Amino acid sequence: MTGDALSQDPAELQGRIDSSKAHPARVYDVFLGGKDHYPADRDAAAAALAANPRGYLDVRHNRDFLRRAVTTLVEQDDIRQFLDIGTGLPTAENVHQIAQRITPDSRVVYVDNDPVVLAHARALLTSGPEGRTDYIDADLRDPARILEQAAKTLDFDQPVALCLVAILHFVADEEAYPLVRELLDALPVGSRLVLSHLTEDLNPEKIRAVQRTYTERGFTFVLRSRAEVERFFTENSLEIADPGIVPAHRWRPDHAAPIPERPDESYLAGLDDIEKVRYHDINDVTDADINVYAGTAAKG
C-alpha cells in the first residue's frame, strides 16, 4: 500500500467523521453484513429495506457483478490496472484481491471520500508483494485530483479499467456526464469502463420507495433509465461488451456467488431484518428483485 492519504493522523480522520448523518459507503456496508457503520447508517439501510424487503439483492448482486467483471477483464482482456472510484468499505472480495489472485502484478487504486473508509483502507487494502495497491482520499467530483494522484501508481500509457460501480446515482446529471467524460479522456485506448447504476425501469414502485428513504436523508439519488445509463458509454464512443447494458444478475452469470454459512435458526430468530441480510443466499434472485443496470465497455 502506498499513498499520502494513508499517512494521515488517525485523530484527524476521526475529527472528519460525522456519525450523525448516513453516508452511502457505510449504508452499503450495512447491506453487505459489515460492522463499520453508525446508527444513522443502519437506520437508513433499515428504512430502505422496509421500503423494499428484497432490496439487499440489488446491493449483493451489484457486488457480484463487480467480481465477475474484474475477473473477465483480467482473464480475457489482459487488463492489469484498475481505478475504482467510490470504493466503499473494504469487504470480501475487493478488486485487488480478485485481480491479483489471477495476475499478481496487477495495480489497483481505490478512491473514496469517507474517513471511515480511509481508516479501514489503511489496514485492509494490502497488496500482494508483486502488485501495487493505493488509496486516494478524494471525491468523484474532483477528477483532476483523482487522475493526478492515481498517476503515481498507475501507468496511463497502458490500459486502465475505470470502475464506477453503484456511485453515479449519487451524482446529478449536470455533473455526472462531464465527470465520466473527463476521467475517460485521460485513459488510453484499450481502457475499460465498468459501470453499474440504479434504475426505475425494472421495478419502479419498489425502487422509488427506496429513493424516498434516501432523499429524505439528504442524499442526491438519481434513478436513470437504460438510455440514460447507456449515455455514459455512447457519448464517450465506447464499445459496449456483450451482453450489453443489462440487469446486474444477467451480466454473464456464473452462478458462483458466495453462499453465506447459515447459523442456527434459533440464532436467526433473535436478529432483526437488517441483521439477517448477511445470511441470505442471493441465488434465488428473480427479475422482479433487481433495479441495477450493469455493463462494461472498451475505449477504442
Side-chain angles (χ1 to χ4, degrees):
M1 172 71 74
T2 62
D4 295 339
L6 299 185
S7 65
Q8 292 188 29
D9 182 353
E12 188 270 336
L13 287 178
Q14 189 65 34
R16 286 175 49 197
I17 297 172
D18 184 355
S19 61
S20 67
K21 296 179 181 178
H23 187 284
R26 301 194 303 259
V27 175
Y28 198 66
D29 178 67
V30 177
F31 279 112
L32 291 173
K35 299 285 190 181
D36 304 308
H37 50 261
Y38 296 96
D41 308 304
R42 186 184 177 87
D43 289 347
L49 191 67
N52 181 12
R54 284 172 67 80
Y56 64 89
L57 289 164
D58 278 332
V59 176
R60 299 267 299 279
H61 274 281
N62 175 74
R63 190 75 194 180
D64 201 54
F65 157 69
L66 178 64
R67 174 187 65 82
R68 300 192 307 276
V70 170
T71 300
T72 298
L73 292 184
V74 176
E75 288 185 341
Q76 299 182 18
D77 299 335
D78 295 324
I79 298 297
R80 299 291 180 265
Q81 302 188 108
F82 293 84
L83 178 58
D84 182 3
I85 303 178
T87 304
L89 281 146
T91 188
E93 286 184 299
N94 304 292
V95 171
H96 74 284
Q97 292 166 315
I98 300 166
Q100 291 179 359
R101 182 170 57 244
I102 303 166
T103 305
D105 63 352
S106 296
R107 297 184 175 201
V108 180
V109 172
Y110 295 103
V111 182
D112 211 300
N113 67 337
D114 180 11
V116 176
V117 176
L118 175 56
H120 287 81
R122 179 184 287 112
L124 298 177
L125 298 179
T126 305
S127 176
E130 297 174 60
R132 290 189 66 186
T133 306
D134 201 357
Y135 180 92
I136 299 171
D137 180 20
D139 193 295
L140 171 60
R141 295 173 180 83
D142 191 359
R145 170 176 164 75
I146 290 171
L147 293 166
E148 177 189 7
Q149 295 297 314
K152 298 177 181 179
T153 301
L154 305 178
D155 178 359
F156 281 179
D157 290 327
Q158 299 297 321
V160 175
L162 171 64
C163 300
L164 297 172
V165 176
I167 184 65
L168 288 168
H169 44 253
F170 296 113
V171 184
D173 283 348
E174 62 270 18
E175 292 182 288
Y177 294 103
L179 288 172
V180 175
R181 187 182 312 117
E182 185 171 349
L183 289 165
L184 286 169
D185 282 350
L187 304 183
V189 169
S191 292
R192 300 297 196 275
L193 175 62
V194 178
L195 188 148
S196 65
H197 199 296
L198 283 169
T199 182
E200 62 182 354
D201 284 0
L202 305 173
N203 301 290
E205 185 176 345
K206 292 178 181 178
I207 196 62
R208 286 172 188 159
V210 172
Q211 181 185 41
R212 286 193 294 273
T213 71
Y214 281 93
T215 55
E216 286 167 358
R217 287 165 171 79
F219 288 112
T220 298
F221 203 84
V222 184
L223 301 172
R224 293 188 171 96
S225 68
R226 187 177 187 277
E228 290 169 327
V229 173
E230 273 194 337
R231 183 181 159 195
F232 289 112
F233 297 86
T234 56
E235 77 168 20
N236 292 295
S237 301
L238 303 183
E239 181 180 348
I240 299 173
D242 290 337
I245 310 304
V246 296
H249 67 306
R250 294 193 172 278
W251 195 91
R252 305 190 187 187
D254 61 6
H255 309 291
I259 300 175
E261 184 175 343
R262 192 170 177 86
D264 182 84
E265 291 299 323
S266 61
Y267 174 78
L268 279 176
L271 303 179
D272 63 23
D273 289 344
I274 200 69
E275 292 171 327
K276 291 176 182 176
V277 162
R278 76 184 68 181
Y279 300 112
H280 292 330
D281 179 1
I282 67 171
N283 292 292
D284 66 345
V285 65
T286 70
D287 290 347
D289 293 319
I290 297 298
N291 302 281
V292 181
Y293 281 130
T296 70
K299 181 175 180 179

